Amino acid sequence: MKDTTKYKEPLSEKERRLVWAMTRSVLETDQFKHKRHGQKSKSHWNNFKRIINFMVWGTKITGLYKKGYANVQNIQINEYELKFDNLPSHFDGFRLLHLSDLHIDATPELAHSILHVVDQVDFDMAVLTGDYRQDNSGSFTQILKPLKDVAALLQKEFTPLAVLGNHDTYLMTEYEKELKIRFLINETFQIERNGQLITFSGSDDPFSYYTDAALESFTDKPGFKIALVHTSEMADIASEKGYSLYLCGHTHGGQVCLPSGKALISHQKEGEDFVKGFWKYGQMTGYTSSGCGVSGVPLRFNCPGEITVFTLRKSLPHLSS
Ligand SMILES: [Fe+2]
């Protein structure tokens, strides 16, 4: 019998990006957010804007606006040492800078504040986990100049890697050569030191623009692997596939928090553990950055913005007696 099965050639990198860009462009004009487990109306954002307007009015009449605005410019540098059994030895001491949620046009001073803190830290490589502009639609060219200034400080031993967030448009990826940042669009990228590798996998934003192509970001292959995603929503997949570290943002740590640090609104449903800082999913270590910038309202309370430096250390194998 004649075999009628058609063999499909895999898409080239260029074709894969083109298919993604066409799909993303449609999703960006859709009235729904596309999530892993179904669609959700974007009207939630309009309701949120009403709450924001009320909040701004409230802080202005109570005199808190000035304080909250000043807090936005006060970005902290948080440094942590992380130990992993499976870290390749040539990466022992590797310093990874994590920036998230720059929203770099949110206030006129923000770009300068971000430049100021990034300039103070030593690192070997930078990763960015999305949300580069303030709004989630409309113009984005206003962020190119300040983003380019930040990107200039991020050029180290390895090219900075980035993923898109729910405030970003697919059009931003056209500027990756100019910015000298490589966007990971549902794909994997490896860096090498003396023949040893670290694998980075980055998926497109799963909060508003999820497609099944995001699942292809993560690899089953062994090795030391780091996932870069805008939100914590892909943590189960990355953990299942043996990733050691998962870096995300999106929540801004709550941005406006109670004095206890509890977020009033976090824009995620994965649970309180994922709102800010470290969490675990199986064997995988995750970190949700509070972000550098702000969105919605140019205020922060009880939740400073941050840039984060992780020093990766190879832990010694456990000795059994
Ligand atoms: Fe954000």
Side-chain angles (χ1 to χ4, degrees):
M1 192 190 274
K2 195 177 171 184
D3 184 6
T4 54
T5 310
K6 282 187 181 167
Y7 175 72
K8 270 193 191 169
E9 286 281 345
L11 295 178
S12 70
E13 175 56 23
K14 211 171 172 183
E15 289 166 334
R16 195 185 65 79
R17 277 265 182 138
L18 189 62
V19 170
W20 166 77
M22 284 165 64
T23 310
R24 186 49 138 101
S25 71
V26 173
L27 297 185
E28 285 181 17
T29 56
D30 200 357
Q31 58 180 315
F32 294 102
K33 291 189 280 192
H34 291 257
K35 304 183 81 68
R36 237 169 101 196
H37 306 294
Q39 297 179 345
K40 283 210 169 131
S41 170
K42 281 183 182 166
S43 62
H44 161 80
W45 181 251
N46 294 328
N47 295 335
F48 179 58
K49 277 189 171 169
R50 282 186 207 112
I51 297 171
I52 286 167
N53 290 338
F54 178 75
M55 199 185 277
V56 170
W57 173 79
T59 54
K60 279 186 174 164
I61 62 159
T62 55
L64 282 169
Y65 187 90
K66 215 171 160 185
K67 172 73 180 141
Y69 190 92
N71 288 341
V72 174
Q73 318 313 325
N74 190 18
I75 300 167
Q76 291 188 350
I77 300 168
N78 291 329
E79 299 205 30
Y80 303 101
E81 193 170 276
L82 297 176
K83 291 183 178 173
F84 299 97
D85 290 344
N86 60 341
L87 183 74
S89 55
H90 289 302
F91 286 94
D92 188 22
F94 187 72
R95 284 171 64 81
L96 187 63
L97 174 69
H98 178 207
L99 306 179
S100 196
D101 298 85
L102 281 74
H103 296 290
I104 204 161
D105 53 337
T107 72
E109 303 87 355
L110 192 54
H112 178 264
S113 302
I114 294 170
L115 284 166
H116 176 68
V117 285
V118 171
D119 203 26
Q120 292 178 54
V121 290
D122 277 333
F123 54 95
D124 299 298
M125 178 179 178
V127 292
L128 302 95
T129 51
D131 275 9
Y132 305 101
R133 70 174 164 190
Q134 149 78 1
D135 290 329
N136 56 11
S137 61
S139 165
F140 72 95
T141 49
Q142 72 283 359
I143 68 164
L144 291 174
K145 166 76 174 72
L147 196 56
K148 203 172 168 180
D149 292 343
V150 172
L153 291 182
L154 304 182
Q155 306 304 315
K156 298 286 179 179
E157 181 182 350
F158 300 102
T159 304
L161 299 178
V163 292
L164 294 179
N166 59 308
H167 281 241
D168 303 322
T169 168
Y170 72 100
L171 294 167
M172 291 174 186
T173 62
E174 288 177 15
Y175 293 84
E176 64 182 348
K177 279 207 176 95
E178 198 176 311
L179 293 168
K180 296 187 181 144
I181 289 175
R182 184 185 163 115
F183 284 96
L184 293 184
I185 308 293
N186 303 324
E187 64 191 314
T188 278
F189 184 83
Q190 291 184 308
I191 61 167
E192 188 205 311
R193 251 186 190 176
N194 303 324
Q196 295 183 331
L197 301 168
I198 290 184
T199 298
F200 287 88
S201 298
S203 76
D204 193 6
D205 164 59
F207 186 78
S208 294
Y209 301 113
Y210 174 82
T211 67
D212 284 343
L215 300 173
E216 293 164 22
S217 320
F218 306 100
T219 174
D220 286 318
K221 287 183 184 161
F224 186 81
K225 300 182 287 191
I226 300 175
L228 307 174
V229 188
H230 183 53
T231 73
S232 61
E233 288 167 274
M234 306 298 282
D236 55 333
I237 308 282
S239 172
E240 206 175 280
K241 291 193 179 253
Y243 282 69
S244 298
L245 181 61
Y246 185 111
L247 301 179
C248 62
H250 177 65
T251 61
H252 302 188
Q255 193 177 306
V256 174
C257 294
L258 297 172
S260 65
K262 186 176 168 49
L264 295 177
I265 300 167
S266 71
H267 293 290
Q268 55 99 40
K269 301 219 180 306
E270 284 63 51
E272 216 162 297
D273 287 353
F274 300 90
V275 173
K276 70 173 109 174
F278 285 104
W279 40 268
K280 281 295 244 189
Y281 204 110
Q283 297 297 306
M284 184 178 78
T285 298
Y287 188 84
T288 306
S289 168
S290 291
C292 310
V294 286
S295 65
V297 57
L299 305 170
R300 275 191 184 265
F301 290 106
N302 305 308
C303 183
E306 68 170 315
I307 67 164
T308 321
V309 185
F310 300 102
T311 302
L312 308 185
R313 291 280 178 203
K314 184 165 180 65
S315 54
L316 293 171
H318 298 292
L319 298 173
S320 54
S321 54

